[in-house]
């Protein structure tokens, strides 16, 4: 699986581009703040055509560029419980954060919803751009946080690590940590349930591509991540 990752210009939010191979259709996951130019270069270099944009949740640092990236035709997929966040993510964001972004980019922040939004639910199976993707609903960071699981793995990675599937975990699971639960829509108890019932059952041979920071594996996180090791029974 062709897998390209790069950070947004703010908050180091990871944007992912996944495709069966160069010259094919692709899916774009979490187009964050200021990713448009880099994304255009990636698509041109690898001759990729966007088939869908997948959103792990509706926080502004993960959806900022979704509407221009989708354009007129490409659908944005988001869990039904976070659908409301696409109505006005700027209005839901901290005013100081919006002011900081406006200063950084030298323009007033504006928002328009994508033309085509598809609501997804837990355990939905999506066939997009030649990839089979399973939706894993894992609330706690937000009500509609999800992870996207596929049997594909990045080209060449099996020479480096023992993995046979990939999960794009958004802000549910990070290397050594988890997403915060103290923002509006966050729920510590829901996060514990998600970690216990959704994250822990993933096989050790699962590659984890998180919403921030570097990639990891379930084997490593199961052994070292304190939020997984110290889960209540």
């Amino acid at each position: 699986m062709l897998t390209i990752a790069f950070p947004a210009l703010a908050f180091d939010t990871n944007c992912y581009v996944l495709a069966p191979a160069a010259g094919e259709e692709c899916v774009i996951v979490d187009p964050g703040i200021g990713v448009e130019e880099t994304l255009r270069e990636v698509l041109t270099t690898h001759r990729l055509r966007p088939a869908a944009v997948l959103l792990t949740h509706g926080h502004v640092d993960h959806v900022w560029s979704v509407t221009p990236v989708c354009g007129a035709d490409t659908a944005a997929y988001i869990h039904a419980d976070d659908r409301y966040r696409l109505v006005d993510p700027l209005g839901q964001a901290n005013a100081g954060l919006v002011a900081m972004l406006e200063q950084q980019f030298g323009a007033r922040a504006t928002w328009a919803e994508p033309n085509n939004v598809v609501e997804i639910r837990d355990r939905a199976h999506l066939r997009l751009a030649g990839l089979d993707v399973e939706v894993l609903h894992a609330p706690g960071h937000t009500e509609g946080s999800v992870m996207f699981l596929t049997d594909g793995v990045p080209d060449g990675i099996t020479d480096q690590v023992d993995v046979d599937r990939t999960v794009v975990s958004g802000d549910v699971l990070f290397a050594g940590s988890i997403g915060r639960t103290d923002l509006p829509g966050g729920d510590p108890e829901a996060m514990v349930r998600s970690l216990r019932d959704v994250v822990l059952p993933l096989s050790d041979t699962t590659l984890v591509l998180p919403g921030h920071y570097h990639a990891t594996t379930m084997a490593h996180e199961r052994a070292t991540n304190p939020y997984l090791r110290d889960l209540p029974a």
Side-chain angles (χ1 to χ4, degrees):
M1 180 173 67
L2 177 64
T3 306
I4 301 155
F6 59 92
L9 295 184
F11 303 105
D12 285 330
T13 307
N14 290 323
C15 179
Y16 296 101
V17 180
L18 311 175
E24 304 285 345
E25 288 189 321
C26 68
V27 295
I28 299 163
V29 185
D30 288 356
I33 297 168
V35 303
E36 293 171 69
E37 182 177 348
T38 300
L39 186 53
R40 278 193 296 268
E41 293 174 356
V42 167
L43 298 179
T44 299
T45 298
H46 297 279
R47 310 182 314 282
L48 298 171
R49 306 180 304 280
V53 174
L54 305 182
L55 303 173
T56 60
H57 62 291
H59 279 161
V60 67
D61 61 317
H62 289 253
V63 307
W64 180 278
S65 299
V66 62
T67 300
V69 167
C70 283
D73 302 318
T74 304
Y77 290 70
I78 192 167
H79 191 273
D81 291 348
D82 262 23
R83 172 63 180 89
Y84 78 95
R85 294 179 180 275
L86 291 186
V87 175
D88 183 20
L90 294 177
Q92 299 157 21
N94 178 277
L97 167 64
V98 175
M100 180 192 75
L101 294 173
E102 289 178 339
Q103 182 177 27
Q104 179 178 355
F105 293 104
R108 181 176 178 273
T110 59
W111 177 258
E113 289 187 68
N115 288 340
N116 184 6
V117 178
V118 177
E119 295 185 10
I120 52 179
R121 297 190 180 276
D122 187 36
R123 304 295 169 172
H125 288 268
L126 310 175
R127 178 70 177 175
L128 299 167
L131 302 173
D132 290 312
V133 179
E134 183 178 6
V135 178
L136 304 178
H137 185 210
H141 181 63
T142 68
E143 308 94 324
S145 287
V146 300
M147 305 190 296
F148 296 110
L149 179 66
T150 177
D151 285 340
V153 296
D155 295 337
I157 197 168
T158 53
D159 296 333
Q160 309 168 40
V161 63
D162 180 21
V163 292
D164 59 12
R165 64 191 57 196
T166 300
V167 67
V168 183
S169 62
D171 285 5
V172 177
L173 179 67
F174 303 136
S177 189
I178 61 171
R180 58 192 294 182
T181 59
D182 59 342
L183 298 172
D187 183 335
E189 293 182 358
M191 178 63 89
V192 168
R193 291 192 296 270
S194 292
L195 295 175
R196 183 188 63 221
D197 300 337
V198 184
V199 174
L200 276 182
L202 293 170
S203 68
D204 281 353
T205 53
T206 303
L207 177 71
V208 180
L209 301 181
H212 303 268
Y213 318 120
H214 59 80
T216 183
T217 67
M218 273 305 301
H220 184 75
E221 294 312 302
R222 198 185 312 278
T224 65
N225 191 318
Y227 294 94
L228 297 184
R229 289 187 303 160
D230 300 336
L231 276 175

